[in-house]
Amino acid sequence: MNGLQRAALALTIIGAVNWGLIALFQFDLVAAIFGGGEQSAAFARIIYGLVGISGLVLIPLLFKTDEAFSKQREPHRADS
């Protein structure tokens, strides 16, 4: 998994937790943090947009086979 996919995964997890909070407690964490004034509301919309784009970036992971994951090699760490 490359850096872009890791960042997208982190944003997608944040989005999933936010949706869980909305469903269970009717509490939108992103709006609570960034939804104050006009500029804050715009920033919340940017966060929502980034979460949506992150989901799109991760779509190819759905179609990767287990073999493709096992063939990816972890970087070799030299013993110190």
Side-chain angles (χ1 to χ4, degrees), residues 1-2 4-9 12 50-65 69:
M1 194 178 315
N2 64 33
L4 176 64
Q5 289 174 326
R6 288 182 192 273
L9 182 59
T12 303
L50 289 174
V51 169
I53 291 168
S54 296
L56 295 175
V57 167
L58 293 176
I59 287 173
L61 291 181
L62 285 174
F63 302 105
K64 260 190 177 176
T65 62
F69 282 113

Side-chain angles (χ1 to χ4, degrees), residues 25-78:
F25 304 110
Q26 296 179 351
F27 178 71
D28 187 343
L29 182 62
V30 173
I33 293 172
F34 301 111
E38 264 184 57
Q39 275 189 309
S40 297
F43 191 68
R45 290 185 57 168
I46 291 169
I47 299 296
Y48 295 136
L50 289 174
V51 169
I53 291 168
S54 296
L56 295 175
V57 167
L58 293 176
I59 287 173
L61 291 181
L62 285 174
F63 302 105
K64 260 190 177 176
T65 62
D66 289 338
E67 290 120 22
F69 282 113
S70 65
K71 287 181 184 177
Q72 287 181 341
R73 299 187 69 179
E74 290 291 322
H76 181 67
R77 296 181 189 170

